[in-house]
Amino acid sequence: YLKQIEESSRYLLSLINDILDMSRIDSGKFVLNSQWVTPMEIVVPCLDMIIPSMQAKHIKFEYNEHIRRQNSYQYYVDPLKTQQMLMNLLNNAVKFTPEGGTVSLEFHNLRADVKNMTAHDQITVRDNGCGISQEFMKRIFTPFSQERLPSTSQIPGTGLGLALSRNIARVMGGDITVESELGKGSAFTIEFPYKFRFFDASRGKRRGAEKLSTPVVLKDKRVLVVEDNEINCRIAAELLESKGVKVDAVHNGKECVDTFQSSLVNRYDAILMDIR
């Protein structure tokens, strides 16, 4: 029951986040949070998340293992939004490919300008699943649209993933296109431009190895948590205490100020509060 509750909660949370993202895009308030990351850092977490679903349906998943190796260059992109696009396409491929089918993930560099350090890439997710009718292809990227065929009527979905993914791609300066034939499978292709720079992977590893692990950094620190929702307060305290943090909790801004003013100097290493 707890597992079912967790799965339902995650589904509802993803739905809410998708709707909020669509709302931000529609209102022109959607902002990319770009940073320097290697292709491996973007793709490998997606592979690790999707492979169990592939294995559960005995789907043959084809991709170049080279993507799991450290790269000598970095992209300047929003890693979470790029992963969101890729995961939407991979999840759809799993959902609409029958047991024992095949899904492939392909990467292609279309062009690179070393002088200006810009490039344009293409990522294609291809499957031999149920495919899409030519009639539905006209509105496949419309929010809340999902083709209902006898073979797919029981497959859950909101029809938001593709619409959101295409909007993200277009905000990035690219696009998502699709080729499909009913009963023979589909191929979804993301194209996007980006800035890149060369990166010393071995030096990056050395820097990472020097970092202290999170539990060591947080152990015996004292944090004042300010949270008016009792359940959220309890969850925050549990998470912090699991890392060795000592937690004091209060329920509003006034209690926070009073508690801090009456505390010994340097009692608290941090104060955590929500936006309001």
Side-chain angles (χ1 to χ4, degrees):
Y1 291 150
L2 286 172
K3 188 171 184 293
Q4 290 173 352
I5 289 169
E6 182 180 19
E7 288 173 354
S8 297
S9 299
R10 288 184 186 279
Y11 177 74
L12 287 171
L13 181 61
S14 68
L15 175 58
I16 291 166
N17 284 334
D18 284 351
I19 291 171
L20 287 172
D21 279 342
M22 288 298 295
S23 177
R24 291 187 189 102
I25 288 168
D26 290 342
S27 64
K29 295 179 180 177
F30 187 82
V31 178
L32 295 174
N33 296 307
S34 298
Q35 54 188 275
W36 290 106
V37 289
T38 63
M40 182 191 77
E41 290 173 301
I42 294 173
V43 177
V44 170
C46 295
L47 295 177
D48 292 342
M49 283 188 283
I50 203 66
I51 282 173
S53 300
M54 299 276 189
Q55 292 172 338
K57 290 185 71 175
H58 307 288
I59 291 172
K60 183 182 179 183
F61 186 28
E62 299 174 342
Y63 64 92
N64 191 334
E65 285 285 346
H66 180 75
I67 195 63
R68 288 189 176 274
R69 300 175 197 155
Q70 185 60 271
N71 309 92
S72 60
Y73 54 91
Q74 293 178 312
Y75 292 177
Y76 189 67
V77 295
D78 184 323
L80 292 179
K81 294 305 179 191
T82 307
Q83 287 174 335
Q84 187 175 1
M85 282 192 299
L86 184 54
M87 282 303 297
N88 276 334
L89 299 190
L90 288 171
N91 275 321
N92 280 351
V94 171
K95 284 198 295 185
F96 296 105
T97 299
E99 294 246 355
T102 301
V103 173
S104 67
L105 178 61
E106 304 161 12
F107 303 89
H108 301 284
N109 173 250
L110 300 180
R111 54 186 172 272
D113 182 345
V114 177
K115 182 180 178 181
N116 295 307
M117 303 300 278
T118 59
H120 200 106
D121 274 13
Q122 186 181 75
I123 303 173
T124 300
V125 176
R126 195 182 306 275
D127 67 68
N128 65 348
C130 62
I132 303 158
S133 69
Q134 292 306 303
E135 178 61 31
F136 186 71
M137 289 271 278
K138 299 171 186 175
R139 52 192 174 89
I140 190 170
F141 292 107
T142 304
F144 301 106
S145 292
Q146 189 168 357
E147 187 168 29
R148 294 298 177 187
L149 301 170
S151 59
T152 64
S153 60
Q154 301 302 313
I155 296 174
T158 60
L160 273 177
L162 286 177
L164 180 57
S165 296
R166 185 178 226 186
N167 275 301
I168 292 172
R170 288 180 168 178
V171 171
M172 292 173 69
D175 203 357
I176 294 182
T177 55
V178 57
E179 296 177 4
S180 185
E181 187 175 342
L182 196 61
K184 294 189 177 180
S186 306
F188 287 85
T189 298
I190 307 169
E191 286 191 20
F192 61 101
Y194 58 91
K195 292 189 291 184
F196 71 92
R197 70 181 182 187
F198 294 108
F199 167 69
D200 185 343
S202 62
R203 206 176 72 188
K205 285 180 183 176
R206 282 202 302 274
R207 281 202 303 270
E210 291 165 3
K211 291 181 179 178
L212 290 169
S213 64
T214 301
V216 174
V217 171
L218 297 178
K219 186 171 171 54
D220 294 328
K221 300 293 184 185
R222 186 172 289 276
V223 171
L224 178 61
V225 173
V226 191
E227 174 57 69
D228 60 347
N229 183 295
E230 187 62 40
I231 294 175
N232 290 351
C233 188
R234 197 178 310 161
I235 291 170
E238 289 280 353
L239 289 171
L240 290 165
E241 287 169 353
S242 73
K243 303 297 182 185
V245 178
K246 297 174 181 175
V247 177
D248 292 339
V250 294
H251 298 99
N252 57 54
K254 185 178 186 308
E255 288 182 16
C256 172
V257 173
D258 292 344
T259 301
F260 182 75
Q261 284 182 334
S262 62
S263 67
L264 296 172
V265 175
N266 294 328
R267 175 177 173 81
Y268 294 110
D269 297 286
I271 300 174
L272 300 181
M273 64 185 77
D274 66 21
I275 229 167
R276 294 160 117 190

